[in-house]
């Protein structure tokens, strides 16, 4: 069964360092997302990506964050200068259909980021 | 912003009991989805409900979408320890390109 894969599963970094989280969405999906979940808290939307550009971003997704789909298969989230409060589980997701059209999201297993 | 309120936040029951968890909003949703998340993993879609009043069954799980499409419920019959997890409802979040999640109900089924 097709699945969304994420790497690394866990990354520990020092505050101020750059981090890149990688995702391979399901191949025939058109919409891509990053969500994050701080331990014990809700799943929060960060950004959605469609047609090779950001379609929507949340207030969390500030200038320190960027996304890219460099080669038609990978979908990356970069945090330029990590802060302690960026520590969270980051989930990549993809969907075949538009969210307004019952676009069901398929999530990866997450990348746990720990900022020290 | 369309908010989804889930209740209860925590639920601990014994194996074999029945339970219902709720997802409510003041906004109308074109559809709602239920996901289950286990510790250290991503949410996994259980069901999508689209039509007001719709009822969907998935083995011992029954999902209902309110007539006004503002609320949904998940009923589990004869809960088993394998049902333990965080149950999340989600809906198209007001704008076009995201799903908004509720905070979830953390269910623990004790053997």
């Amino acid at each position: 069964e097709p699945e969304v894969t994420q790497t690394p599963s866990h990354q520990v970094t020092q505050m101020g360092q750059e981090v890149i989280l990688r995702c391979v969405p399901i191949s025939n999906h058109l919409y891509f997302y990053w969500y994050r979940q701080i331990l014990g808290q809700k799943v929060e939307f960060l950004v959605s990506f469609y047609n090779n550009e950001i379609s929507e971003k949340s207030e969390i997704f500030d200038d320190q964050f960027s996304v890219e789909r460099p080669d038609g298969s990978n979908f990356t989230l970069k945090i330029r200068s990590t802060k302690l409060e960026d520590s969270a589980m980051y989930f990549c997701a993809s969907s075949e259909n538009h969210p307004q059209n019952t676009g069901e999201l398929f999530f990866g297993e997450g990348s746990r980021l720990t900022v020290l | 912003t369309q908010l989804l309120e889930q209740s209860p936040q925590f639920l601990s029951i014994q194996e074999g009991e029945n339970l219902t968890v709720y997802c409510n909003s003041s906004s109308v949703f074109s559809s709602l989805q239920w996901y289950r998340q286990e510790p250290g993993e991503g949410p996994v879609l259980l069901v999508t409900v689209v039509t007001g009043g719709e009822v969907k069954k998935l083995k011992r799980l029954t999902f209902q979408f309110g007539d006004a499409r503002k609320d949904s419920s998940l009923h589990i019959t004869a809960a088993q320890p394998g049902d333990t997890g965080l149950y999340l409802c989600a809906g198209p979040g007001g704008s076009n390109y995201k799903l908004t999640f509720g905070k979830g109900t953390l269910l623990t089924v004790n053997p």
Side-chain angles (χ1 to χ4, degrees):
Chain A
E1 185 174 323
E3 58 181 17
V4 175
T5 57
Q6 290 186 242
T7 54
S9 57
H10 190 190
Q11 180 152 359
V12 181
T13 190
Q14 295 291 326
M15 190 168 57
Q17 294 296 303
E18 176 182 283
V19 161
I20 297 176
L21 305 178
R22 292 181 168 81
C23 169
V24 180
I26 294 173
S27 60
N28 65 328
H29 285 188
L30 300 177
Y31 300 86
F32 313 113
Y33 313 84
W34 284 100
Y35 282 79
R36 80 170 186 192
Q37 187 176 33
I38 295 171
L39 188 63
Q41 298 188 25
K42 69 184 292 184
V43 176
E44 299 178 291
F45 170 78
L46 292 179
V47 66
S48 57
F49 193 86
Y50 170 71
N51 201 26
N52 285 320
E53 60 183 18
I54 290 174
S55 41
E56 184 166 354
K57 58 185 181 180
S58 72
E59 60 276 7
I60 303 169
F61 194 89
D62 62 20
D63 292 346
Q64 293 300 312
F65 290 86
S66 62
V67 289
E68 202 174 33
R69 194 152 189 254
D71 57 11
S73 62
N74 290 288
F75 180 50
T76 62
L77 174 69
K78 182 193 291 186
I79 309 174
R80 258 181 276 282
S81 177
T82 49
K83 302 189 275 285
L84 295 176
E85 54 265 36
D86 293 329
S87 294
M89 183 76 97
Y90 287 80
F91 291 106
C92 174
S94 67
S95 67
E96 187 175 4
N97 294 318
H98 192 286
Q100 291 284 359
N101 188 26
T102 63
E104 301 164 5
L105 266 59
F106 293 81
F107 284 83
E109 294 206 336
S111 293
R112 179 170 297 285
L113 176 64
T114 303
V115 182
L116 303 176
Chain B
T1 302
Q2 294 182 290
L3 295 176
L4 289 164
E5 301 287 340
Q6 291 192 247
S7 60
Q9 189 176 355
F10 301 99
L11 186 57
S12 180
I13 62 169
Q14 294 300 121
E15 182 175 2
E17 292 183 3
N18 301 331
L19 66 112
T20 303
V21 299
Y22 301 92
C23 173
N24 295 294
S25 177
S26 57
S27 304
V28 175
F29 283 85
S30 57
S31 64
L32 278 179
Q33 298 172 3
W34 285 91
Y35 291 79
R36 188 173 88 190
Q37 184 181 22
E38 298 189 26
E41 299 185 9
V44 176
L45 180 70
L46 296 173
V47 79
T48 301
V49 286
V50 178
T51 307
E54 181 177 9
V55 176
K56 280 192 173 176
K57 291 189 185 240
L58 188 67
K59 297 183 182 177
R60 293 176 294 99
L61 278 60
T62 301
F63 303 85
Q64 185 162 11
F65 200 13
D67 290 341
R69 291 186 288 125
K70 292 182 177 182
D71 55 89
S72 181
S73 64
L74 159 58
H75 181 80
I76 301 179
T77 305
Q80 298 176 2
D83 296 326
T84 293
L86 179 67
Y87 288 83
L88 299 161
C89 67
S95 61
N96 295 325
Y97 288 96
K98 67 180 183 185
L99 278 183
T100 297
F101 283 80
K103 289 186 177 181
T105 293
L106 185 59
L107 171 67
T108 304
V109 182
N110 302 297

